[in-house]
Amino acid sequence: MARVVVEIMPKPEILDPQGKAVAGALPRLGFTGFASVRQGKRFELEVDGEATEDVLAAARRAAEEVLSNPVIEDVVSVHVATED
């Protein structure tokens, strides 16, 4: 069984209030040296069998048509997860 990972981020020109809130909280919590934070989302799609090129193409299509909002988000990555 393979796992396909889809990563989606807000478009650069879109405000990211959650990322801004995290950026504001990090120094208060003792984490310094981070200039900014952008928050996105990640989907993990379990696949029966191998993650073939056809499976990856279907995942890319799902990412662009269902998992993301193309007006405000970019699909930045669709890849097979590596074993931990």
Side-chain angles (χ1 to χ4, degrees), residues 40-78:
K41 55 189 175 183
R42 169 186 168 122
F43 295 89
E44 295 184 355
L45 309 173
E46 296 287 338
V47 177
D48 288 329
E50 294 183 34
T52 63
E53 284 302 317
D54 288 342
V55 169
L56 288 173
R60 280 187 202 96
R61 198 173 75 244
E64 292 169 359
E65 295 178 10
V66 178
L67 303 177
S68 69
N69 178 344
V71 174
I72 61 170
E73 297 173 321
D74 290 324
V75 177
V76 296
S77 176
V78 176

Side-chain angles (χ1 to χ4, degrees), residues 27-38:
R28 290 193 305 273
L29 298 171
F31 298 96
T32 59
F34 300 104
S36 67
V37 175
R38 298 283 291 172

